[in-house]
Amino acid sequence: MNTSTVAELLSQDASSQIIEVKGWVRTFRANRFIALNDGSTLNNIQCVVDFENFDETLLKRITTGAALHIKGELVESQGKGQKVEIVVSSLEVLGDSDPETYPIQPKKHSFEFLRENAHLRTRTNTFSAVMRIKSALSFAIHKYFTENGFYNMHTPMITGSDAEGAGEMFRITTLDAKNPPLDENGEVNFKEDFFGKEANLTVSGQLEAETYAMSLGKVYTFGPTFRAENSNTSRHLAEFWMVEPEVAFMDLAGNMDLAEDFMKSVIAYVLEHNKEDLNFLDQRLFDEEKTKPQTERSPMRLIEKLKFIADNNFKRVSYTEAIDILRNSKPNKKKKFKYLINEWGADLQSEHERFLVEKHFKCPVILFDYPANIKAFYMRLNDDEKTVRAMDVLFPGIGEIVGGSQREERLDVLKNKMAELDIPEEELWWYLDLRKYGTAVHSGFGLGFERLVMFATGMSNIRDVIPYPRTPQNAEF
Ligand code: 4AD
Ligand code: MG
């Protein structure tokens, strides 16, 4: 006989067949009702034990968190809320739990507490729902690109270059930290290091993805990226996953179309395939919102918000227009912003992005044509020589979720820019080669995958949408 999953059993009709299931005890009530969960669904299956037929010492071992192997008959449920239940005929405790010390008791736990018990937190409804949705989003991303003619590529995690030019990289070295080899100037001699040069964990797969776009046409990379920025916020991780498509012969307008269509498509996918988990998270968030003052409550429920994104156009606004709006906005005039917007050229902070999306436009916004000097070296310079063909997609509750651009395809302009920023040509000779041999307009973007998961699940801290968050001073598990 085959073991069934809880999801399979709950979708069947009562058949009086003998079935087998394995899972973990969520609760054991009245020495009679076991709520069993195996991760296949949010729902538990109720397993009814007739205590007279079972040894008392065995029954005592049925505690929250224990792993069980159950055989029994699948019958129509007497109780409310489920169609079927199991009348247990045989029960084996595969792994005991300890009711005294087991952290995941059947009660409400704070997210802070669950973060400290991240190895067990997917045994709760909230975290199992989040992680099932995350898995579905990952599948939806691969599905979208595959169906739209993109090739998946794996860009290296170890690189010698700083794609974003922000210098926020983790060094990879096998040199002896206490006694590194020195060169004639007394500097650490990286020629003696493992790779014969300085190497880092990548901050983005973009530059390598560009090389493949300029031969395979449409590619994407989806992998871990690393940033040594000391940002202790609810939206930053030191290790996060990025989805980066890159397309030859596509300009900024095409890039915006792609980003919008892509985001709508993956959100529509989970709306269709993860109803049960979304309904649960929708209710969870609604209950949480009720505890907040009226003015701070989100105007839309989670599912409503996801549908809104899937069905409505993103608003496209130039940086210059956005600055005008922000400069004349109430919070700017009343000095409510932490960083006041006084002039063109200011870098936008999360408070400004969220104002534009949540208060002003009340829909996702794509900002484009940013000042050149607040963006990375590789972005296509506009004819005004002041702005670049950059775009950021801003989402309600999140702020920036996507960053991308049309790439500078002109060799001389790119070389000048690199010289201006002291980026050595020797380091990026291969990147410059793309502009020497068959250069063409091309574009791409990076979606922060965990930020997408935050949005789709309504979780407000990025540490709660990745199994084991890496943040400053924290690399537990
Ligand atoms: O805007 P970013 O820095 O863009 C790039 O790295 C480009 N090279 C992408 C490209 O064009 N191929 O990062 C892209 C996205 C951001 O919009 C944000 O969603 C996410 O990555 N992100 C982070 N997510 C979590 N923690 C961090 N520390 C993040 N930094 C960026
Ligand atoms: Mg960015």
Side-chain angles (χ1 to χ4, degrees):
M1 190 170 21
N2 287 331
T3 311
S4 306
T5 65
V6 172
E8 286 163 356
L9 294 176
L10 290 177
S11 68
Q12 289 173 17
D13 293 323
S15 60
S16 298
Q17 262 183 2
I18 299 294
I19 53 82
E20 271 187 62
V21 64
K22 292 174 185 171
W24 294 271
V25 178
R26 284 291 176 84
T27 56
F28 184 36
R29 277 190 303 121
N31 227 10
R32 192 169 164 78
F33 302 108
I34 304 169
L36 197 76
N37 190 283
D38 67 352
S40 60
T41 157
L42 182 76
N43 297 309
N44 306 322
I45 191 155
Q46 172 153 287
C47 309
V48 187
V49 280
D50 185 350
F51 48 82
E52 287 180 354
N53 296 341
F54 290 87
D55 186 48
E56 206 176 311
T57 52
L58 179 67
L59 294 177
K60 281 223 170 79
R61 292 170 62 199
I62 307 174
T63 61
T64 300
L68 304 185
H69 180 185
I70 280 175
K71 290 184 201 170
E73 222 178 290
L74 192 68
V75 301
E76 204 172 305
S77 178
Q78 307 302 309
K80 265 195 284 179
Q82 70 253 331
K83 204 166 57 173
V84 289
E85 62 187 23
I86 301 169
V87 175
V88 180
S89 54
S90 104
L91 184 154
E92 183 192 355
V93 178
L94 299 172
D96 289 282
S97 181
D98 179 347
E100 297 300 315
T101 59
Y102 184 56
I104 314 295
Q105 295 295 325
K107 61 164 197 173
K108 217 172 155 59
H109 294 286
S110 73
F111 286 165
E112 289 77 16
F113 172 82
L114 290 172
R115 240 169 261 152
E116 286 162 16
N117 290 282
H119 59 308
L120 297 172
R121 66 180 171 172
T122 35
R123 294 183 184 199
T124 65
N125 285 339
T126 300
F127 284 90
S128 63
V130 167
M131 292 307 160
R132 275 187 296 267
I133 292 171
K134 184 173 187 179
S135 174
L137 279 170
S138 172
F139 175 74
I141 288 166
H142 287 295
K143 181 173 181 290
Y144 178 87
F145 286 124
T146 304
E147 288 176 358
N148 284 283
F150 284 71
Y151 299 110
N152 181 215
M153 69 177 291
H154 297 165
T155 45
M157 272 174 258
I158 300 174
T159 66
S161 52
D162 177 2
E164 291 307 296
E168 291 163 330
M169 294 181 298
F170 292 101
R171 177 169 289 155
I172 302 267
T173 179
T174 52
L175 293 180
D176 181 357
K178 268 200 207 141
N179 190 23
L182 301 179
D183 63 16
E184 55 273 24
N185 302 321
E187 305 283 340
V188 176
N189 186 2
F190 288 103
K191 288 205 180 95
E192 286 186 36
D193 204 347
F194 188 91
F195 296 107
K197 62 189 245 181
E198 284 189 63
N200 308 290
L201 288 176
T202 189
V203 295
S204 159
Q206 177 198 322
L207 304 192
E208 290 88 354
E210 280 185 53
T211 65
Y212 268 41
M214 295 306 281
S215 50
L216 295 171
K218 297 202 260 185
V219 298
Y220 73 104
T221 176
F222 182 2
T225 49
F226 307 87
R227 301 217 176 159
E229 55 188 331
N230 201 357
S231 304
N232 242 318
T233 79
S234 58
R235 306 178 314 126
H236 287 89
L237 291 166
E239 176 184 72
F240 64 99
W241 283 58
M242 217 200 288
V243 184
E244 295 180 274
E246 194 68 34
V247 182
F249 312 115
M250 184 175 77
D251 63 8
L252 187 67
N255 207 19
M256 291 194 230
D257 292 343
L258 176 66
E260 182 169 342
D261 188 54
F262 161 65
M263 311 262 309
K264 285 178 172 170
S265 157
V266 297
I267 287 170
Y269 182 89
V270 291
L271 276 170
E272 187 183 339
H273 292 87
N274 295 74
K275 289 199 176 92
E276 199 174 86
D277 288 323
L278 281 175
N279 281 332
F280 172 80
L281 293 173
D282 182 273
Q283 188 60 45
R284 188 201 78 74
L285 199 66
F286 184 66
D287 293 340
E288 190 185 276
E289 289 281 307
K290 277 195 288 202
T291 66
K292 292 185 188 165
Q294 193 90 43
T295 50
E296 286 169 31
R297 286 185 208 165
S298 163
M300 280 189 218
R301 292 183 64 138
L302 176 64
I303 292 176
E304 214 183 333
K305 208 167 67 174
L306 298 181
K307 285 189 177 147
F308 181 82
I309 299 278
D311 298 338
N312 285 284
N313 292 338
F314 297 5
K315 179 91 188 154
R316 299 178 189 192
V317 185
S318 75
Y319 167 90
T320 303
E321 281 173 75
I323 284 290
D324 277 343
I325 293 167
L326 288 167
R327 205 166 18 198
N328 296 315
S329 69
K330 248 196 210 161
N332 201 55
K333 287 187 165 155
K334 294 195 166 168
K335 302 201 171 16
K336 287 270 158 55
F337 283 143
K338 192 165 162 223
Y339 299 90
L340 294 178
I341 299 287
N342 295 318
E343 55 199 287
W344 193 93
D347 203 355
L348 299 187
Q349 307 294 326
S350 159
E351 57 179 348
H352 309 127
E353 296 172 342
R354 292 188 56 177
F355 172 84
L356 290 170
V357 171
E358 290 160 29
K359 299 277 186 311
H360 190 83
F361 290 111
K362 298 189 168 64
C363 72
V365 171
I366 310 183
L367 287 188
F368 62 92
D369 284 352
Y370 280 74
N373 58 1
I374 58 169
K375 288 290 182 187
F377 76 96
Y378 51 70
M379 296 190 180
R380 175 64 157 79
L381 190 62
N382 278 314
D383 292 344
D384 63 11
E385 304 214 331
K386 258 181 14 182
T387 59
V388 285
R389 282 182 202 164
M391 64 174 213
D392 277 5
V393 181
L394 315 178
F395 261 32
I398 308 281
E400 179 191 340
I401 192 163
V402 163
S405 71
Q406 186 176 317
R407 319 307 188 186
E408 184 54 76
E409 83 285 12
R410 298 163 298 181
L411 183 65
D412 52 334
V413 182
L414 186 60
K415 274 184 168 179
N416 285 344
K417 183 77 192 187
M418 285 169 61
E420 223 175 85
L421 296 172
D422 282 331
I423 303 171
E425 284 185 22
E426 309 83 77
E427 217 176 75
L428 290 178
W429 61 273
W430 49 274
Y431 190 71
L432 292 168
D433 264 5
L434 299 176
R435 279 77 183 163
K436 270 193 222 162
Y437 308 117
T439 194
V441 164
H442 63 289
S443 304
F445 61 81
L447 163 75
F449 183 49
E450 286 76 14
R451 291 197 184 166
L452 174 68
V453 179
M454 283 174 80
F455 182 75
T457 59
M459 299 297 276
S460 55
N461 193 319
I462 201 164
R463 293 169 175 84
D464 296 331
V465 299
I466 189 159
Y468 302 109
R470 273 44 177 136
T471 51
Q473 301 299 310
N474 173 35
E476 193 65 40
F477 303 102

